Structure formats: structure tokens, C-alpha cells
Amino acid sequence: DIVMTQSPEYLTVSLGERATINCKSSQSVLYSSNNKNYLAWYQQKPGQPPKLLFYWASTRESGVPDRFSGSGSGTDFTLTISRMQAEDVAVYFCHQYYSTPLTFGQGTRVEI
Amino acid sequence: EVQLVESGGGLVQPGGSLRLSCAASGFTFSSFWMTWVRQTPGKGLEWVANIKQDGSEKYYVDSVKGRFTISRDNAKNSLFLQMNSLRDEDTAVYYCARGRYCSGPNCYSDSWGQGTLVTVSS
């Protein structure tokens, strides 16, 4: 199974400042035949289901503000919020869909 | 607008059974892989099962193999999860989700329902 490890578990950021969340997979999720990283990022607010932010590691889902960015390849990935807003308070999860069992990181709670 | 509405959760004793349903609307249900994912405070998000568009392929996490069965009724735009021999550790919120850009069962989910709570306890 591919283990997804996020860091940090908790992150406190001031309004307008940058937030950086890391995700590391126990094996590469880069599929060589199409050069795509099978890595997604989700945002979850209290009482809500996860919301898709990025897929293929860096492709922003429609409607996601451009202050959010995803990067990385192979085993190391990053989600960045360039200028933290109050509405960005949430738990963020990375997710590999390279192989079954599909697995998620344990989550990073981001607060103001 | 894509809508996924789960139902069927509740309190069940260990060893019991439950059948979860997910009613889909706003998209062509029969064109998408579908997924069940569960969430607990302790274990976070856990993928449970995927099913192909026509129901011909099904994949499960090891911890539920032989106990849970995923199925679908494309005529009724519905997804199901039959859960038997339930254990304490199956207690979770269960989400129905739509798969996108799937390579076989390897999908990310782009739309999720609100979830239904399953509590296994005596």
C-alpha cells in the first residue's frame, strides 16, 4: 500500500501570509507512460465533505481561487496558499490514486 | 449540478448488517466510476470500494473484502454498499463520490455527497 504522510499536522497562519503543506508518498505516484502524477488535494471544512482542489498534482479544479497552487512530482508534493484568507480555514488532505488501495494523507489542519 | 445523497446509515450491533444507498442526479450516472469513502476521527479518510460504470469491475480495501459489497443500478441512478458482519472499527461517516479520469479503479473523486453516519456498537 502507498502510505501518504503530510506535514505539518497543524499550521497556524496569519491573514495574508503564505501557508505551505507537504505530502510525501512512500513510493512514486508518477506514471511514466503519461508523465502524470496521480495525486489530488482536497479541502474539508467542518460538517462538509471533502472538496477537490487539485488533480494530477497541479491542475486546479474549476472554481478554486488562484491563491491555491499545487506542485511536486514523484514522491514529494506541496499545496500552497499564497495569501491566507479566513475562508481557507480547513483540513487539507492529499490523496494518491496511482494504485489500489487508494490512500489519503492524515490531513493538515490550517487555522488563523 | 451534480448531487449525491447518501442514506441508510444508523446504529447497528457488531455482527449486524446495513445497506447504504446513494442517489445521484445532475450527471449521466452510467458514465462514471463510483466510489465509497469513509471517514473517522481516528483514521481519517479511507477508500472503501470502487465500481466500474457497468458494474463489471469492483475493488475493495482489504479490511472490508468478503464483508462489504458495492453495487449500482444505472436505471435508478443509484449506488449501494451492502455491509455485513459489521465491526466496531467500521464506525464512520460513509461518503459516496464520483470518480473522474479513471484508469481502471484509479480515480480521484470530484464530487462527494454529505455522508451518512454508521455506528457499530452494542
Side-chain angles (χ1 to χ4, degrees), chain B residues 3 8 20-22 33 35-37 47 50-51 62 66 75 80 84 93 97 100 107 119:
Chain B
Q3 281 205 311
L20 305 184
S21 299
C22 172
W33 279 77
T35 298
W36 288 100
V37 175
W47 170 77
N50 275 6
I51 185 169
D62 281 352
F80 305 102
N84 298 331
V93 173
R100 186 159 59 152
C107 309
T119 303

PDB file of all heavy atoms in Angstrom, chain B residues 3 8 20-22 33 35-37 47 50-51 62 66 75 80 84 93 97 100 107 119:
ATOM      1  N   GLN B   3     -25.394  16.088  -7.812  1.00  0.00           N
ATOM      2  CA  GLN B   3     -25.870  15.844  -6.437  1.00  0.00           C
ATOM      3  C   GLN B   3     -25.736  14.368  -6.110  1.00  0.00           C
ATOM      4  O   GLN B   3     -26.106  13.504  -6.922  1.00  0.00           O
ATOM      5  CB  GLN B   3     -27.327  16.282  -6.281  1.00  0.00           C
ATOM      6  CG  GLN B   3     -27.508  17.770  -6.097  1.00  0.00           C
ATOM      7  CD  GLN B   3     -28.797  18.103  -5.360  1.00  0.00           C
ATOM      8  OE1 GLN B   3     -29.849  17.602  -5.724  1.00  0.00           O
ATOM      9  NE2 GLN B   3     -28.710  18.949  -4.353  1.00  0.00           N
ATOM     10  N   GLY B   8     -29.328   5.505   4.695  1.00  0.00           N
ATOM     11  CA  GLY B   8     -29.228   4.138   5.175  1.00  0.00           C
ATOM     12  C   GLY B   8     -28.338   3.941   6.384  1.00  0.00           C
ATOM     13  O   GLY B   8     -28.273   2.829   6.918  1.00  0.00           O
ATOM     14  N   LEU B  20     -26.269   0.788   2.585  1.00  0.00           N
ATOM     15  CA  LEU B  20     -26.232   2.201   2.269  1.00  0.00           C
ATOM     16  C   LEU B  20     -26.649   2.417   0.827  1.00  0.00           C
ATOM     17  O   LEU B  20     -26.348   1.603  -0.046  1.00  0.00           O
ATOM     18  CB  LEU B  20     -24.831   2.783   2.488  1.00  0.00           C
ATOM     19  CG  LEU B  20     -24.199   2.578   3.865  1.00  0.00           C
ATOM     20  CD1 LEU B  20     -22.856   3.293   3.935  1.00  0.00           C
ATOM     21  CD2 LEU B  20     -25.116   3.018   4.968  1.00  0.00           C
ATOM     22  N   SER B  21     -27.319   3.543   0.596  1.00  0.00           N
ATOM     23  CA  SER B  21     -27.713   3.928  -0.755  1.00  0.00           C
ATOM     24  C   SER B  21     -27.191   5.321  -1.055  1.00  0.00           C
ATOM     25  O   SER B  21     -26.980   6.137  -0.149  1.00  0.00           O
ATOM     26  CB  SER B  21     -29.232   3.920  -0.896  1.00  0.00           C
ATOM     27  OG  SER B  21     -29.764   2.643  -0.652  1.00  0.00           O
ATOM     28  N   CYS B  22     -27.005   5.581  -2.321  1.00  0.00           N
ATOM     29  CA  CYS B  22     -26.580   6.905  -2.776  1.00  0.00           C
ATOM     30  C   CYS B  22     -27.380   7.228  -4.030  1.00  0.00           C
ATOM     31  O   CYS B  22     -27.271   6.516  -5.039  1.00  0.00           O
ATOM     32  CB  CYS B  22     -25.093   6.920  -3.067  1.00  0.00           C
ATOM     33  SG  CYS B  22     -24.485   8.446  -3.851  1.00  0.00           S
ATOM     34  N   TRP B  33     -17.260   5.853 -13.022  1.00  0.00           N
ATOM     35  CA  TRP B  33     -16.924   5.011 -11.894  1.00  0.00           C
ATOM     36  C   TRP B  33     -17.475   5.716 -10.644  1.00  0.00           C
ATOM     37  O   TRP B  33     -17.523   6.942 -10.570  1.00  0.00           O
ATOM     38  CB  TRP B  33     -15.404   4.913 -11.749  1.00  0.00           C
ATOM     39  CG  TRP B  33     -14.737   3.931 -12.658  1.00  0.00           C
ATOM     40  CD1 TRP B  33     -14.461   4.095 -13.995  1.00  0.00           C
ATOM     41  CD2 TRP B  33     -14.234   2.650 -12.293  1.00  0.00           C
ATOM     42  NE1 TRP B  33     -13.813   2.985 -14.475  1.00  0.00           N
ATOM     43  CE2 TRP B  33     -13.652   2.077 -13.462  1.00  0.00           C
ATOM     44  CE3 TRP B  33     -14.177   1.916 -11.103  1.00  0.00           C
ATOM     45  CZ2 TRP B  33     -13.055   0.813 -13.462  1.00  0.00           C
ATOM     46  CZ3 TRP B  33     -13.584   0.678 -11.102  1.00  0.00           C
ATOM     47  CH2 TRP B  33     -13.029   0.127 -12.270  1.00  0.00           C
ATOM     48  N   THR B  35     -17.532   5.557  -6.138  1.00  0.00           N
ATOM     49  CA  THR B  35     -16.665   5.204  -5.013  1.00  0.00           C
ATOM     50  C   THR B  35     -17.390   5.379  -3.686  1.00  0.00           C
ATOM     51  O   THR B  35     -18.251   6.258  -3.540  1.00  0.00           O
ATOM     52  CB  THR B  35     -15.430   6.147  -5.026  1.00  0.00           C
ATOM     53  OG1 THR B  35     -14.693   5.958  -6.226  1.00  0.00           O
ATOM     54  CG2 THR B  35     -14.518   5.915  -3.842  1.00  0.00           C
ATOM     55  N   TRP B  36     -17.045   4.546  -2.720  1.00  0.00           N
ATOM     56  CA  TRP B  36     -17.389   4.786  -1.319  1.00  0.00           C
ATOM     57  C   TRP B  36     -16.098   5.074  -0.567  1.00  0.00           C
ATOM     58  O   TRP B  36     -15.107   4.354  -0.701  1.00  0.00           O
ATOM     59  CB  TRP B  36     -18.091   3.585  -0.696  1.00  0.00           C
ATOM     60  CG  TRP B  36     -19.493   3.366  -1.159  1.00  0.00           C
ATOM     61  CD1 TRP B  36     -19.937   2.470  -2.095  1.00  0.00           C
ATOM     62  CD2 TRP B  36     -20.662   4.049  -0.693  1.00  0.00           C
ATOM     63  NE1 TRP B  36     -21.291   2.573  -2.250  1.00  0.00           N
ATOM     64  CE2 TRP B  36     -21.775   3.523  -1.396  1.00  0.00           C
ATOM     65  CE3 TRP B  36     -20.891   5.054   0.247  1.00  0.00           C
ATOM     66  CZ2 TRP B  36     -23.073   3.970  -1.184  1.00  0.00           C
ATOM     67  CZ3 TRP B  36     -22.184   5.502   0.459  1.00  0.00           C
ATOM     68  CH2 TRP B  36     -23.259   4.951  -0.252  1.00  0.00           C
ATOM     69  N   VAL B  37     -16.139   6.145   0.222  1.00  0.00           N
ATOM     70  CA  VAL B  37     -15.021   6.521   1.089  1.00  0.00           C
ATOM     71  C   VAL B  37     -15.590   6.732   2.484  1.00  0.00           C
ATOM     72  O   VAL B  37     -16.692   7.269   2.626  1.00  0.00           O
ATOM     73  CB  VAL B  37     -14.334   7.818   0.600  1.00  0.00           C
ATOM     74  CG1 VAL B  37     -13.250   8.265   1.587  1.00  0.00           C
ATOM     75  CG2 VAL B  37     -13.741   7.628  -0.792  1.00  0.00           C
ATOM     76  N   TRP B  47     -10.467   5.012   1.629  1.00  0.00           N
ATOM     77  CA  TRP B  47     -11.169   4.483   0.477  1.00  0.00           C
ATOM     78  C   TRP B  47     -11.710   3.102   0.808  1.00  0.00           C
ATOM     79  O   TRP B  47     -11.003   2.285   1.399  1.00  0.00           O
ATOM     80  CB  TRP B  47     -10.215   4.421  -0.702  1.00  0.00           C
ATOM     81  CG  TRP B  47     -10.734   3.672  -1.883  1.00  0.00           C
ATOM     82  CD1 TRP B  47     -11.646   4.096  -2.796  1.00  0.00           C
ATOM     83  CD2 TRP B  47     -10.372   2.348  -2.264  1.00  0.00           C
ATOM     84  NE1 TRP B  47     -11.878   3.113  -3.722  1.00  0.00           N
ATOM     85  CE2 TRP B  47     -11.095   2.024  -3.428  1.00  0.00           C
ATOM     86  CE3 TRP B  47      -9.492   1.387  -1.755  1.00  0.00           C
ATOM     87  CZ2 TRP B  47     -10.979   0.807  -4.081  1.00  0.00           C
ATOM     88  CZ3 TRP B  47      -9.362   0.169  -2.402  1.00  0.00           C
ATOM     89  CH2 TRP B  47     -10.101  -0.109  -3.548  1.00  0.00           C
ATOM     90  N   ASN B  50     -14.599   0.762  -5.118  1.00  0.00           N
ATOM     91  CA  ASN B  50     -14.916   1.403  -6.411  1.00  0.00           C
ATOM     92  C   ASN B  50     -15.695   0.430  -7.267  1.00  0.00           C
ATOM     93  O   ASN B  50     -15.502  -0.791  -7.156  1.00  0.00           O
ATOM     94  CB  ASN B  50     -13.620   1.725  -7.183  1.00  0.00           C
ATOM     95  CG  ASN B  50     -12.999   3.046  -6.804  1.00  0.00           C
ATOM     96  OD1 ASN B  50     -13.444   3.706  -5.883  1.00  0.00           O
ATOM     97  ND2 ASN B  50     -11.947   3.429  -7.509  1.00  0.00           N
ATOM     98  N   ILE B  51     -16.526   0.962  -8.147  1.00  0.00           N
ATOM     99  CA  ILE B  51     -17.257   0.125  -9.089  1.00  0.00           C
ATOM    100  C   ILE B  51     -17.261   0.794 -10.463  1.00  0.00           C
ATOM    101  O   ILE B  51     -17.443   2.009 -10.595  1.00  0.00           O
ATOM    102  CB  ILE B  51     -18.694  -0.146  -8.588  1.00  0.00           C
ATOM    103  CG1 ILE B  51     -19.418  -1.131  -9.510  1.00  0.00           C
ATOM    104  CG2 ILE B  51     -19.485   1.156  -8.434  1.00  0.00           C
ATOM    105  CD1 ILE B  51     -20.744  -1.646  -8.910  1.00  0.00           C
ATOM    106  N   ASP B  62      -8.703  -4.047   1.679  1.00  0.00           N
ATOM    107  CA  ASP B  62      -8.619  -5.385   2.263  1.00  0.00           C
ATOM    108  C   ASP B  62      -9.502  -5.557   3.492  1.00  0.00           C
ATOM    109  O   ASP B  62     -10.072  -6.632   3.717  1.00  0.00           O
ATOM    110  CB  ASP B  62      -7.164  -5.696   2.640  1.00  0.00           C
ATOM    111  CG  ASP B  62      -6.324  -6.098   1.441  1.00  0.00           C
ATOM    112  OD1 ASP B  62      -6.884  -6.294   0.342  1.00  0.00           O
ATOM    113  OD2 ASP B  62      -5.083  -6.204   1.598  1.00  0.00           O
ATOM    114  N   GLY B  66     -14.962  -9.416   1.417  1.00  0.00           N
ATOM    115  CA  GLY B  66     -15.718 -10.548   1.926  1.00  0.00           C
ATOM    116  C   GLY B  66     -16.854 -10.152   2.852  1.00  0.00           C
ATOM    117  O   GLY B  66     -17.693 -10.991   3.195  1.00  0.00           O
ATOM    118  N   ALA B  75     -30.242   2.207 -13.999  1.00  0.00           N
ATOM    119  CA  ALA B  75     -31.594   2.627 -14.381  1.00  0.00           C
ATOM    120  C   ALA B  75     -32.203   3.550 -13.333  1.00  0.00           C
ATOM    121  O   ALA B  75     -33.060   4.385 -13.652  1.00  0.00           O
ATOM    122  CB  ALA B  75     -32.485   1.411 -14.579  1.00  0.00           C
ATOM    123  N   PHE B  80     -24.928   1.523  -4.181  1.00  0.00           N
ATOM    124  CA  PHE B  80     -25.231   0.846  -2.919  1.00  0.00           C
ATOM    125  C   PHE B  80     -23.953   0.308  -2.281  1.00  0.00           C
ATOM    126  O   PHE B  80     -22.952   0.065  -2.954  1.00  0.00           O
ATOM    127  CB  PHE B  80     -26.201  -0.328  -3.168  1.00  0.00           C
ATOM    128  CG  PHE B  80     -27.442   0.074  -3.875  1.00  0.00           C
ATOM    129  CD1 PHE B  80     -27.592  -0.180  -5.231  1.00  0.00           C
ATOM    130  CD2 PHE B  80     -28.473   0.708  -3.197  1.00  0.00           C
ATOM    131  CE1 PHE B  80     -28.756   0.188  -5.904  1.00  0.00           C
ATOM    132  CE2 PHE B  80     -29.630   1.093  -3.856  1.00  0.00           C
ATOM    133  CZ  PHE B  80     -29.770   0.834  -5.211  1.00  0.00           C
ATOM    134  N   ASN B  84     -22.015  -6.283   5.706  1.00  0.00           N
ATOM    135  CA  ASN B  84     -22.335  -7.412   6.579  1.00  0.00           C
ATOM    136  C   ASN B  84     -21.227  -7.619   7.601  1.00  0.00           C
ATOM    137  O   ASN B  84     -20.118  -7.084   7.451  1.00  0.00           O
ATOM    138  CB  ASN B  84     -22.516  -8.687   5.737  1.00  0.00           C
ATOM    139  CG  ASN B  84     -23.648  -8.584   4.750  1.00  0.00           C
ATOM    140  OD1 ASN B  84     -24.638  -7.864   4.959  1.00  0.00           O
ATOM    141  ND2 ASN B  84     -23.524  -9.300   3.643  1.00  0.00           N
ATOM    142  N   VAL B  93     -18.345   7.983   9.065  1.00  0.00           N
ATOM    143  CA  VAL B  93     -19.210   8.629   8.085  1.00  0.00           C
ATOM    144  C   VAL B  93     -18.838   8.059   6.724  1.00  0.00           C
ATOM    145  O   VAL B  93     -17.655   8.038   6.358  1.00  0.00           O
ATOM    146  CB  VAL B  93     -19.025  10.167   8.084  1.00  0.00           C
ATOM    147  CG1 VAL B  93     -19.814  10.798   6.946  1.00  0.00           C
ATOM    148  CG2 VAL B  93     -19.434  10.742   9.437  1.00  0.00           C
ATOM    149  N   ALA B  97     -19.005   9.034  -3.754  1.00  0.00           N
ATOM    150  CA  ALA B  97     -18.274  10.012  -4.551  1.00  0.00           C
ATOM    151  C   ALA B  97     -18.194   9.566  -5.999  1.00  0.00           C
ATOM    152  O   ALA B  97     -18.209   8.363  -6.289  1.00  0.00           O
ATOM    153  CB  ALA B  97     -16.876  10.223  -3.975  1.00  0.00           C
ATOM    154  N   ARG B 100     -13.405  10.435 -11.517  1.00  0.00           N
ATOM    155  CA  ARG B 100     -13.119  11.151 -12.758  1.00  0.00           C
ATOM    156  C   ARG B 100     -11.744  10.755 -13.269  1.00  0.00           C
ATOM    157  O   ARG B 100     -10.841  10.471 -12.491  1.00  0.00           O
ATOM    158  CB  ARG B 100     -13.200  12.661 -12.537  1.00  0.00           C
ATOM    159  CG  ARG B 100     -13.045  13.481 -13.821  1.00  0.00           C
ATOM    160  CD  ARG B 100     -13.617  14.872 -13.694  1.00  0.00           C
ATOM    161  NE  ARG B 100     -12.969  15.617 -12.625  1.00  0.00           N
ATOM    162  CZ  ARG B 100     -12.873  16.949 -12.642  1.00  0.00           C
ATOM    163  NH1 ARG B 100     -13.317  17.646 -13.647  1.00  0.00           N
ATOM    164  NH2 ARG B 100     -12.319  17.569 -11.628  1.00  0.00           N
ATOM    165  N   CYS B 107      -8.998   6.327  -9.667  1.00  0.00           N
ATOM    166  CA  CYS B 107      -9.712   7.577  -9.932  1.00  0.00           C
ATOM    167  C   CYS B 107      -9.471   8.538  -8.792  1.00  0.00           C
ATOM    168  O   CYS B 107      -9.311   8.109  -7.651  1.00  0.00           O
ATOM    169  CB  CYS B 107     -11.223   7.366  -9.913  1.00  0.00           C
ATOM    170  SG  CYS B 107     -11.856   6.056 -10.903  1.00  0.00           S
ATOM    171  N   THR B 119     -22.829   3.728  12.868  1.00  0.00           N
ATOM    172  CA  THR B 119     -22.276   3.486  14.197  1.00  0.00           C
ATOM    173  C   THR B 119     -22.475   2.022  14.538  1.00  0.00           C
ATOM    174  O   THR B 119     -23.616   1.528  14.553  1.00  0.00           O
ATOM    175  CB  THR B 119     -22.956   4.363  15.256  1.00  0.00           C
ATOM    176  OG1 THR B 119     -22.825   5.738  14.881  1.00  0.00           O
ATOM    177  CG2 THR B 119     -22.320   4.149  16.627  1.00  0.00           C
TER     178      THR B 119
END
